[in-house]
Amino acid sequence: MLKIEDNKMDFSGKKVACVGDSLTYGTTLLNRKKECYPARLQRLLGSNYDVINLGLVGHTVNSFCSKFWGQPKMIKALNDYAPDYILFMLGTNDANLKNWMDENVFRSEYTKLVNYLLNLPSNPTIIALTPPSAFSDTCEREVGFDVEVLDKIVNIQKSVLQELDIKFIDLYSMTKDKEHLYSIDKQHFNSHGAKFLAYVAYLGLKDTIERSGQNL
């Protein structure tokens, strides 16, 4: 039997939690565990960082939905992990009309969830990412998904994040002309898209860390 010393099980580096939906989880990727953006981000960051994938398929910002991300089991998982950094990307599933109410409700729900993350006991630094663009085929393949609502969601998110002075990455604008990064459903990323997302997240995290006077 292989013996492992207890002190080798300790991790003293920085912890990064990737909070999101199926785009974070890695839906449609052939080798999801290796190709999803949190796994790629882990490889970019190296052994001084620990990255956890908290992407939940179909989950939302809006708490009245059955698949609300902030349910007790996920909040417990996040608390137990005690992240130093949170990469936060939710909102795509809120653009499904069954999950949408109106702009005021979404603004309130998004603000509430972001403030909760800000006030976690581990005092994490939040880096938000807007949902990426979705293309026209999505409307045909997924009944009820509305690209116009997605546009409203992104504008609300940017407004809230600016008010709260939270660093964010406008992934929506960055992917407007990058349909080649998407899988056949035109909503989820293919392997190239996951690689793109990981690198964007890496650069955002690197910039945040260096601005705080530390080295990556």
Side-chain angles (χ1 to χ4, degrees), residues 196-211:
F196 172 82
L197 175 54
Y199 193 60
V200 166
Y202 170 77
L203 291 178
L205 188 58
K206 181 175 184 289
D207 180 70
T208 299
I209 292 169
E210 290 177 348
R211 283 177 183 271

PDB file of all heavy atoms in Angstrom, residues 196-211:
ATOM      1  N   PHE A 196     -10.546  29.355 -24.857  1.00  0.00           N
ATOM      2  CA  PHE A 196     -10.641  30.813 -24.904  1.00  0.00           C
ATOM      3  C   PHE A 196     -11.118  31.367 -23.560  1.00  0.00           C
ATOM      4  O   PHE A 196     -10.538  32.304 -23.011  1.00  0.00           O
ATOM      5  CB  PHE A 196     -11.605  31.220 -26.026  1.00  0.00           C
ATOM      6  CG  PHE A 196     -11.953  32.684 -26.061  1.00  0.00           C
ATOM      7  CD1 PHE A 196     -11.099  33.599 -26.659  1.00  0.00           C
ATOM      8  CD2 PHE A 196     -13.140  33.148 -25.502  1.00  0.00           C
ATOM      9  CE1 PHE A 196     -11.421  34.952 -26.695  1.00  0.00           C
ATOM     10  CE2 PHE A 196     -13.467  34.493 -25.533  1.00  0.00           C
ATOM     11  CZ  PHE A 196     -12.606  35.404 -26.134  1.00  0.00           C
ATOM     12  N   LEU A 197     -12.175  30.763 -23.015  1.00  0.00           N
ATOM     13  CA  LEU A 197     -12.728  31.206 -21.741  1.00  0.00           C
ATOM     14  C   LEU A 197     -11.711  31.063 -20.610  1.00  0.00           C
ATOM     15  O   LEU A 197     -11.576  31.958 -19.769  1.00  0.00           O
ATOM     16  CB  LEU A 197     -14.000  30.418 -21.427  1.00  0.00           C
ATOM     17  CG  LEU A 197     -14.674  30.663 -20.075  1.00  0.00           C
ATOM     18  CD1 LEU A 197     -14.952  32.144 -19.857  1.00  0.00           C
ATOM     19  CD2 LEU A 197     -15.966  29.846 -19.986  1.00  0.00           C
ATOM     20  N   ALA A 198     -10.996  29.954 -20.589  1.00  0.00           N
ATOM     21  CA  ALA A 198      -9.983  29.732 -19.550  1.00  0.00           C
ATOM     22  C   ALA A 198      -8.899  30.805 -19.611  1.00  0.00           C
ATOM     23  O   ALA A 198      -8.464  31.319 -18.572  1.00  0.00           O
ATOM     24  CB  ALA A 198      -9.365  28.344 -19.704  1.00  0.00           C
ATOM     25  N   TYR A 199      -8.481  31.148 -20.798  1.00  0.00           N
ATOM     26  CA  TYR A 199      -7.408  32.133 -20.940  1.00  0.00           C
ATOM     27  C   TYR A 199      -7.890  33.528 -20.547  1.00  0.00           C
ATOM     28  O   TYR A 199      -7.167  34.292 -19.897  1.00  0.00           O
ATOM     29  CB  TYR A 199      -6.870  32.133 -22.368  1.00  0.00           C
ATOM     30  CG  TYR A 199      -5.568  32.881 -22.504  1.00  0.00           C
ATOM     31  CD1 TYR A 199      -4.435  32.480 -21.793  1.00  0.00           C
ATOM     32  CD2 TYR A 199      -5.467  34.002 -23.319  1.00  0.00           C
ATOM     33  CE1 TYR A 199      -3.233  33.174 -21.893  1.00  0.00           C
ATOM     34  CE2 TYR A 199      -4.262  34.699 -23.431  1.00  0.00           C
ATOM     35  CZ  TYR A 199      -3.157  34.275 -22.716  1.00  0.00           C
ATOM     36  OH  TYR A 199      -1.975  34.963 -22.820  1.00  0.00           O
ATOM     37  N   VAL A 200      -9.141  33.849 -20.925  1.00  0.00           N
ATOM     38  CA  VAL A 200      -9.727  35.139 -20.531  1.00  0.00           C
ATOM     39  C   VAL A 200      -9.818  35.226 -19.005  1.00  0.00           C
ATOM     40  O   VAL A 200      -9.470  36.246 -18.400  1.00  0.00           O
ATOM     41  CB  VAL A 200     -11.126  35.306 -21.165  1.00  0.00           C
ATOM     42  CG1 VAL A 200     -11.898  36.451 -20.511  1.00  0.00           C
ATOM     43  CG2 VAL A 200     -11.003  35.555 -22.669  1.00  0.00           C
ATOM     44  N   ALA A 201     -10.280  34.137 -18.370  1.00  0.00           N
ATOM     45  CA  ALA A 201     -10.384  34.101 -16.911  1.00  0.00           C
ATOM     46  C   ALA A 201      -9.004  34.209 -16.271  1.00  0.00           C
ATOM     47  O   ALA A 201      -8.829  34.909 -15.261  1.00  0.00           O
ATOM     48  CB  ALA A 201     -11.075  32.809 -16.471  1.00  0.00           C
ATOM     49  N   TYR A 202      -8.043  33.530 -16.851  1.00  0.00           N
ATOM     50  CA  TYR A 202      -6.663  33.576 -16.350  1.00  0.00           C
ATOM     51  C   TYR A 202      -6.112  35.001 -16.384  1.00  0.00           C
ATOM     52  O   TYR A 202      -5.532  35.480 -15.404  1.00  0.00           O
ATOM     53  CB  TYR A 202      -5.779  32.646 -17.184  1.00  0.00           C
ATOM     54  CG  TYR A 202      -4.300  32.780 -16.917  1.00  0.00           C
ATOM     55  CD1 TYR A 202      -3.715  32.216 -15.778  1.00  0.00           C
ATOM     56  CD2 TYR A 202      -3.481  33.482 -17.796  1.00  0.00           C
ATOM     57  CE1 TYR A 202      -2.352  32.354 -15.529  1.00  0.00           C
ATOM     58  CE2 TYR A 202      -2.122  33.622 -17.561  1.00  0.00           C
ATOM     59  CZ  TYR A 202      -1.569  33.058 -16.418  1.00  0.00           C
ATOM     60  OH  TYR A 202      -0.224  33.203 -16.176  1.00  0.00           O
ATOM     61  N   LEU A 203      -6.310  35.694 -17.497  1.00  0.00           N
ATOM     62  CA  LEU A 203      -5.804  37.061 -17.626  1.00  0.00           C
ATOM     63  C   LEU A 203      -6.495  37.999 -16.638  1.00  0.00           C
ATOM     64  O   LEU A 203      -5.861  38.890 -16.057  1.00  0.00           O
ATOM     65  CB  LEU A 203      -5.990  37.562 -19.059  1.00  0.00           C
ATOM     66  CG  LEU A 203      -5.122  36.887 -20.132  1.00  0.00           C
ATOM     67  CD1 LEU A 203      -5.454  37.450 -21.511  1.00  0.00           C
ATOM     68  CD2 LEU A 203      -3.639  37.066 -19.826  1.00  0.00           C
ATOM     69  N   GLY A 204      -7.807  37.789 -16.440  1.00  0.00           N
ATOM     70  CA  GLY A 204      -8.537  38.609 -15.485  1.00  0.00           C
ATOM     71  C   GLY A 204      -8.056  38.392 -14.066  1.00  0.00           C
ATOM     72  O   GLY A 204      -7.880  39.340 -13.293  1.00  0.00           O
ATOM     73  N   LEU A 205      -7.815  37.139 -13.723  1.00  0.00           N
ATOM     74  CA  LEU A 205      -7.319  36.802 -12.387  1.00  0.00           C
ATOM     75  C   LEU A 205      -5.888  37.321 -12.198  1.00  0.00           C
ATOM     76  O   LEU A 205      -5.552  37.876 -11.152  1.00  0.00           O
ATOM     77  CB  LEU A 205      -7.378  35.290 -12.190  1.00  0.00           C
ATOM     78  CG  LEU A 205      -7.083  34.740 -10.800  1.00  0.00           C
ATOM     79  CD1 LEU A 205      -8.021  35.327  -9.763  1.00  0.00           C
ATOM     80  CD2 LEU A 205      -7.204  33.208 -10.806  1.00  0.00           C
ATOM     81  N   LYS A 206      -5.072  37.139 -13.214  1.00  0.00           N
ATOM     82  CA  LYS A 206      -3.671  37.603 -13.163  1.00  0.00           C
ATOM     83  C   LYS A 206      -3.621  39.113 -12.942  1.00  0.00           C
ATOM     84  O   LYS A 206      -2.857  39.603 -12.105  1.00  0.00           O
ATOM     85  CB  LYS A 206      -2.971  37.227 -14.461  1.00  0.00           C
ATOM     86  CG  LYS A 206      -1.492  37.611 -14.548  1.00  0.00           C
ATOM     87  CD  LYS A 206      -0.895  37.055 -15.841  1.00  0.00           C
ATOM     88  CE  LYS A 206       0.601  37.331 -15.944  1.00  0.00           C
ATOM     89  NZ  LYS A 206       0.880  38.772 -16.181  1.00  0.00           N
ATOM     90  N   ASP A 207      -4.442  39.840 -13.678  1.00  0.00           N
ATOM     91  CA  ASP A 207      -4.465  41.290 -13.540  1.00  0.00           C
ATOM     92  C   ASP A 207      -4.902  41.705 -12.135  1.00  0.00           C
ATOM     93  O   ASP A 207      -4.317  42.608 -11.529  1.00  0.00           O
ATOM     94  CB  ASP A 207      -5.418  41.891 -14.584  1.00  0.00           C
ATOM     95  CG  ASP A 207      -5.487  43.409 -14.499  1.00  0.00           C
ATOM     96  OD1 ASP A 207      -4.491  44.066 -14.851  1.00  0.00           O
ATOM     97  OD2 ASP A 207      -6.533  43.937 -14.067  1.00  0.00           O
ATOM     98  N   THR A 208      -5.916  41.031 -11.607  1.00  0.00           N
ATOM     99  CA  THR A 208      -6.425  41.334 -10.267  1.00  0.00           C
ATOM    100  C   THR A 208      -5.359  41.088  -9.205  1.00  0.00           C
ATOM    101  O   THR A 208      -5.154  41.905  -8.298  1.00  0.00           O
ATOM    102  CB  THR A 208      -7.666  40.469  -9.958  1.00  0.00           C
ATOM    103  OG1 THR A 208      -8.689  40.770 -10.914  1.00  0.00           O
ATOM    104  CG2 THR A 208      -8.182  40.730  -8.563  1.00  0.00           C
ATOM    105  N   ILE A 209      -4.673  39.961  -9.312  1.00  0.00           N
ATOM    106  CA  ILE A 209      -3.639  39.616  -8.343  1.00  0.00           C
ATOM    107  C   ILE A 209      -2.478  40.593  -8.405  1.00  0.00           C
ATOM    108  O   ILE A 209      -1.971  41.061  -7.373  1.00  0.00           O
ATOM    109  CB  ILE A 209      -3.158  38.166  -8.572  1.00  0.00           C
ATOM    110  CG1 ILE A 209      -4.291  37.186  -8.218  1.00  0.00           C
ATOM    111  CG2 ILE A 209      -1.919  37.853  -7.739  1.00  0.00           C
ATOM    112  CD1 ILE A 209      -4.036  35.764  -8.649  1.00  0.00           C
ATOM    113  N   GLU A 210      -2.047  40.922  -9.608  1.00  0.00           N
ATOM    114  CA  GLU A 210      -0.902  41.835  -9.761  1.00  0.00           C
ATOM    115  C   GLU A 210      -1.241  43.250  -9.302  1.00  0.00           C
ATOM    116  O   GLU A 210      -0.385  43.956  -8.760  1.00  0.00           O
ATOM    117  CB  GLU A 210      -0.413  41.814 -11.203  1.00  0.00           C
ATOM    118  CG  GLU A 210       0.252  40.498 -11.569  1.00  0.00           C
ATOM    119  CD  GLU A 210       0.677  40.417 -13.020  1.00  0.00           C
ATOM    120  OE1 GLU A 210       0.262  41.301 -13.819  1.00  0.00           O
ATOM    121  OE2 GLU A 210       1.411  39.470 -13.374  1.00  0.00           O
ATOM    122  N   ARG A 211      -2.485  43.666  -9.484  1.00  0.00           N
ATOM    123  CA  ARG A 211      -2.901  44.988  -9.027  1.00  0.00           C
ATOM    124  C   ARG A 211      -2.904  45.077  -7.485  1.00  0.00           C
ATOM    125  O   ARG A 211      -2.820  46.164  -6.932  1.00  0.00           O
ATOM    126  CB  ARG A 211      -4.283  45.339  -9.563  1.00  0.00           C
ATOM    127  CG  ARG A 211      -4.279  45.765 -11.027  1.00  0.00           C
ATOM    128  CD  ARG A 211      -5.680  46.041 -11.533  1.00  0.00           C
ATOM    129  NE  ARG A 211      -5.689  46.374 -12.934  1.00  0.00           N
ATOM    130  CZ  ARG A 211      -5.552  47.599 -13.411  1.00  0.00           C
ATOM    131  NH1 ARG A 211      -5.387  48.618 -12.580  1.00  0.00           N
ATOM    132  NH2 ARG A 211      -5.572  47.826 -14.711  1.00  0.00           N
TER     133      ARG A 211
END
